[in-house]
C-alpha cells in the first residue's frame, strides 16, 4: 500500500478551521436548508425534487440505512490512502461530481465556479450536455484538472457527433452516456411551479456555441431565442436509441465510454457485450422513475454480473463519508455526488463547492480510520452487516 502520508491529509483539512474562513454549513441538511433560504422556490424545487411522489429519492436514502458498518480495532491507521485508480488515471478521492445541468439557475457562475473548485481538490467533474456554459469554457476553468463529458443523445446525429468531437478537443477524457432520460419525467414540483427552465433558454450553452446546431438553425441563435429554443426542443433527446446505436458513439470518439443509469444486471451484461468501458449504477437521484429500485440496492447484483471486467461507479443518495464507504464495500470503484455540491454552489459559489468537497473528503478520511482501515483498497463486503 502506497501511503499518501500526512501531507495530503493536511490538504484536505486546509482552511476548514482557519479564523478567516467564512462560517459555512457543515451537514448536508444545513447546506440544503441554506440553499432553500437563498434560492427562488422554482430553482430549489428543480434541484431538490424527484419524480412523482419522490418515493425513489427516499428509497435511495433508506437503502444506505439498511447497511451497518462493523469497525475493526488495533490496526495501523496513522496514514490513509484515499486514492482510486480508474480508466488509467489515479484520482485523490473516491468521488466525482455528477453531471448536473442548468447550473446558472443556482448561481450566475454556474459550472465555471464548480470546475474551479473541483480543480483545487483534484476531483473529476462530469460536465452535462445541458450545461449553462459551453463545454470549452468549463474545461478552461478546470485548468487541466480531470473532467469527463456527459452526453444526452440528440435526434440529429450530426449534432451528437459534433458534441463528441468538441469534448475530445477540449480535453475531456471520457464520455458518459446517460441512458435513463429518454423522455421528460413526471415531476410534480416543476409542474406545480409551471417551471421548465429549458423553455427560458437555460441549459443550452453547448447548443448556442455548436457550429452544426447553428448552421442548421440558420440564424444567430441569440438573436432569435424563441426560434432557437423551438429548434432545440425538436432535436434534444432521442427516445428511439437502442443498444445497437452505441456503435455510432464509438465511430465518433476515441475516448472511454461509460453508461449511466444501469439498474438491472441483464443491462450490465449487455453493456459488456457492447464493449463499454465502465458502468454507472444510478437512478438519476430519484428524478426519473417514481418507485424505482434504489441505486445502492441494485449495486451488488450488477457487481456480480460484471465480475470486475469494467469499473463500476454509483450515484444517487450519497450524502456523507459513511455512504461512500458503504458503496465501495459493495463493489463500487468510486461514487458520484450531486445535490451536495449544488447546494454548496447555491450558498457560496466556488467557495461553497470547495467547502462541500473538503468536508466530504475529511469525513471519508476520518471514517476510514475509525473503521480500522488505512486504504480504500482494503475495503470489502466484510466491512458491512445487513440491518
Amino acid at each position: 500500500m502506497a501511503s499518501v502520508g500526512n501531507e495530503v491529509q493536511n490538504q484536505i483539512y486546509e482552511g476548514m478551521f482557519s479564523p478567516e474562513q467564512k462560517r459555512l454549513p457543515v451537514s448536508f441538511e444545513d447546506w440544503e436548508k441554506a440553499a432553500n433560504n437563498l434560492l427562488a422556490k422554482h430553482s430549489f424545487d428543480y434541484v431538490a425534487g424527484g419524480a412523482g411522489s419522490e418515493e425513489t429519492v427516499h428509497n435511495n436514502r433508506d437503502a444506505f440505512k439498511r447497511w451497518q458498518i462493523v469497525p475493526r480495532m488495533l490496526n495501523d491507521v496513522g496514514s490513509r490512502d484515499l486514492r482510486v485508480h480508474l480508466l488509467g488515471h489515479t484520482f485523490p478521492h473516491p468521488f466525482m461530481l455528477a453531471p448536473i445541468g442548468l447550473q446558472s439557475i443556482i448561481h450566475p457562475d454556474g459550472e465555471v465556479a464548480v470546475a474551479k473548485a473541483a480543480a483545487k481538490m483534484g476531483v473529476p467533474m462530469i460536465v452535462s450536455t445541458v450545461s449553462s456554459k459551453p463545454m470549452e469554457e468549463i474545461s478552461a476553468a478546470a485548468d487541466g484538472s480531470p473532467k469527463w463529458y456527459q452526453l444526452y443523445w440528440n435526434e440529429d446525429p450530426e449534432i451528437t457527433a459534433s458534441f463528441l468531437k468538441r469534448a475530445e478537443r477540449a480535453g475531456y477524457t471520457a464520455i458518459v452516456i446517460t441512458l435513463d432520460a429518454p423522455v421528460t419525467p413526471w415531476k410534480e414540483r416543476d409542474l406545480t411551479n409551471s417551471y421548465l427552465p429549458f423553455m427560458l433558454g437555460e441549459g443550452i450553452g453547448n447548443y448556442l456555441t455548436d457550429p452544426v446546431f447553428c448552421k442548421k438553425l440558420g440564424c444567430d441563435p441569440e438573436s432569435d431565442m424563441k426560434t432557437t429554443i423551438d429548434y432545440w426542443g425538436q432535436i434534444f433527446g432521442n427516445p428511439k436509441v437502442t443498444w445497437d446505436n452505441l456503435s455510432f458513439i464509438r465511430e465518433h470518439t476515441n475516448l472511454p465510454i461509460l453508461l449511466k443509469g444501469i439498474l438491472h444486471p441483464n443491462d450490465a451484461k449487455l453493456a459488456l457485450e457492447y464493449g463499454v468501458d465502465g458502468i454507472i449504477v444510478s437512478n438519476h437521484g430519484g428524478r426519473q422513475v417514481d418507485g424505482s429500485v434504489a441505486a445502492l440496492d441494485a449495486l451488488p447484483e450488477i457487481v456480480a454480473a460484471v465480475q470486475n471486467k469494467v469499473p463500476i461507479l454509483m450515484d444517487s443518495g450519497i450524502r456523507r463519508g459513511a455512504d461512500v464507504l458503504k458503496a465501495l464495500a459493495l463493489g463500487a470503484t468510486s461514487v458520484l455526488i450531486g445535490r451536495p455540491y449544488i447546494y454548496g454552489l447555491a450558498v457560496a459559489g466556488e467557495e461553497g463547492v470547495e467547502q462541500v468537497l473538503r468536508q466530504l473528503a475529511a469525513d471519508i478520511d476520518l471514517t476510514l480510520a475509525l473503521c480500522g482501515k488505512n486504504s480504500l483498497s482494503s475495503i470489502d463486503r466484510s466491512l458491512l452487516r445487513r440491518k
Side-chain angles (χ1 to χ4, degrees), residues 85-293:
H85 307 286
L86 185 59
L87 299 177
H89 299 273
T90 298
F91 302 127
H93 307 291
F95 59 89
M96 310 174 75
L97 302 190
I100 297 180
L102 301 141
Q103 293 184 21
S104 62
I105 71 172
I106 303 302
H107 189 280
D109 294 337
E111 295 87 358
V112 168
V114 172
K116 291 178 178 178
K120 290 179 181 177
M121 292 289 292
V123 173
M125 176 185 183
I126 308 177
V127 175
S128 173
T129 290
V130 290
S131 57
S132 302
K133 310 288 186 181
M135 65 179 85
E136 293 84 0
E137 184 179 349
I138 301 168
S139 177
D143 194 27
S145 184
K147 53 203 169 289
W148 295 358
Y149 180 72
Q150 176 269 335
L151 178 73
Y152 282 122
W153 232 292
N154 295 289
E155 285 274 2
D156 189 324
E158 292 183 21
I159 294 174
T160 297
S162 179
F163 280 10
L164 291 168
K165 296 298 184 186
R166 287 173 62 191
E168 202 160 340
R169 287 194 300 266
Y172 293 84
T173 57
I175 300 295
V176 174
I177 305 175
T178 294
L179 305 179
D180 59 6
V183 296
T184 301
W186 181 259
K187 294 178 66 181
E188 294 176 4
R189 292 204 211 191
D190 296 343
L191 292 167
T192 300
N193 294 330
S194 299
Y195 186 58
L196 185 57
F198 294 113
M199 295 298 100
L200 302 174
E202 301 285 359
I204 60 173
N206 284 314
Y207 292 85
L208 298 179
T209 54
D210 189 75
V212 177
F213 177 87
C214 292
K215 181 180 179 181
K216 297 196 173 193
L217 178 65
C219 67
D220 175 11
E222 300 199 53
S223 68
D224 186 351
M225 285 302 293
K226 183 182 185 307
T227 298
T228 300
I229 292 168
D230 287 346
Y231 180 57
W232 175 87
Q234 294 171 29
I235 60 94
F236 177 73
N238 189 345
K240 299 187 290 292
V241 296
T242 69
W243 289 96
D244 290 338
N245 293 110
L246 288 174
S247 62
F248 176 86
I249 306 298
R250 281 287 184 209
E251 291 170 8
H252 290 90
T253 184
N254 295 314
L255 297 177
I257 297 171
L258 298 93
L259 300 184
K260 182 176 183 291
I262 299 290
L263 292 170
H264 196 290
N266 288 349
D267 283 340
K269 292 176 182 177
L270 279 169
L272 294 177
E273 290 177 19
Y274 280 85
V276 304
D277 302 290
I279 289 171
I280 302 177
V281 179
S282 169
N283 60 31
H284 217 114
R287 298 170 64 83
Q288 299 304 105
V289 178
D290 196 18
S292 169
V293 60

Side-chain angles (χ1 to χ4, degrees), residues 1-5 8-9 12 80-86 89-95 328 333-334 364 368 374-378:
M1 192 272 292
S3 173
V4 296
V8 172
Q9 309 307 326
I12 292 174
R80 279 87 66 192
D81 188 350
L82 304 183
R83 295 174 297 175
V84 295
H85 307 286
L86 185 59
H89 299 273
T90 298
F91 302 127
H93 307 291
F95 59 89
L328 299 184
T333 304
S334 185
I364 295 168
L368 182 70
N374 58 20
S375 71
L376 299 180
S377 61
S378 65

